[in-house]
Amino acid sequence: MKELRFEVKRTGFPVKIGDIELFFDCSMENLRRFFDAEEIAHKKLEEVQEKAKHIHFPDDEIDKTSKNTADEALDLHKEWIAIQYDIIFGEGTFKKIYKKYPDIASLEVLLDPIGEGVADNIYAYIDTFEKERAKEVENIRKQYLNKKIDKK
């Protein structure tokens, strides 16, 4: 018996952040999750805000803020940025990027252009996909009509 082998073509496009190449998955399942990203992000933000309630920021001079408090606040901010990267590109993405580029402010600044670029590419991808599908449907229709004509 002959082995049947079929390759699965991933749908999506590469995204490069510095030297790190990521892949944005354009599968229907991931696109649905991507378009629900704002809702997912708000739920995660609520979790981060709940953690932030337990950090005590002194009412007096900022110089008296303890190193622990500043570290806790930075960790929560970093967690919020991580959530956004992981929502867009998948779990663990932020860790991979932050390991190479440990600059939370720079990574935060990139979020908006990354989101806009991904959204633009998604719409272009969907447009291309729809055109290709329309061509396939037209070819199938033509084949069907040709077979019907040949039978007559």
Side-chain angles (χ1 to χ4, degrees):
M1 223 180 268
K2 183 174 131 182
E3 175 186 14
L4 296 178
R5 199 175 177 107
F6 302 94
E7 295 298 319
V8 176
K9 183 181 173 189
R10 290 179 65 192
T11 54
F13 50 87
V15 176
K16 201 158 188 185
I17 298 174
D19 293 335
I20 299 171
E21 188 163 314
L22 305 170
F23 187 81
F24 185 83
D25 176 8
C26 284
S27 66
M28 293 301 173
E29 296 83 358
N30 193 58
L31 288 179
R32 187 170 53 221
R33 189 182 62 75
F34 179 76
F35 289 120
D36 290 340
E38 190 171 332
E39 183 181 319
I40 294 166
H42 282 292
K43 287 178 184 175
K44 298 282 188 179
L45 177 60
E46 288 173 8
E47 294 171 17
V48 171
Q49 287 173 331
E50 188 61 35
K51 289 179 187 177
K53 287 180 184 177
H54 302 292
I55 298 176
H56 174 68
F57 293 101
D59 293 333
D60 49 359
E61 297 178 35
I62 193 76
D63 294 336
K64 293 183 182 177
T65 303
S66 73
K67 183 179 180 318
N68 282 347
T69 303
D71 286 347
E72 288 174 348
L74 180 62
D75 287 345
L76 285 175
H77 184 67
K78 185 172 144 184
E79 184 178 341
W80 172 236
I81 301 304
I83 287 167
Q84 294 174 75
Y85 274 94
D86 289 352
I87 287 172
I88 296 171
F89 296 108
E91 199 68 33
T93 300
F94 179 78
K95 280 184 181 179
K96 181 179 177 180
I97 297 169
Y98 189 76
K99 184 176 183 180
K100 175 111 177 155
Y101 304 104
D103 182 346
I104 197 68
S106 292
L107 296 177
E108 180 179 20
V109 167
L110 288 177
L111 276 170
D112 279 342
I114 287 170
E116 290 170 8
V118 165
D120 289 346
N121 271 7
I122 288 171
Y123 293 121
Y125 175 83
I126 290 171
D127 186 50
T128 301
F129 180 78
E130 286 176 352
K131 287 176 183 173
E132 287 174 5
R133 292 293 294 161
K135 283 180 188 176
E136 286 177 28
V137 168
E138 183 60 23
N139 286 337
I140 292 170
R141 188 182 77 74
K142 284 179 182 177
Q143 288 174 3
Y144 173 76
L145 291 175
N146 287 339
K147 284 181 183 178
K148 197 173 180 180
I149 290 171
D150 289 343
K151 282 186 177 180
K152 289 183 178 182

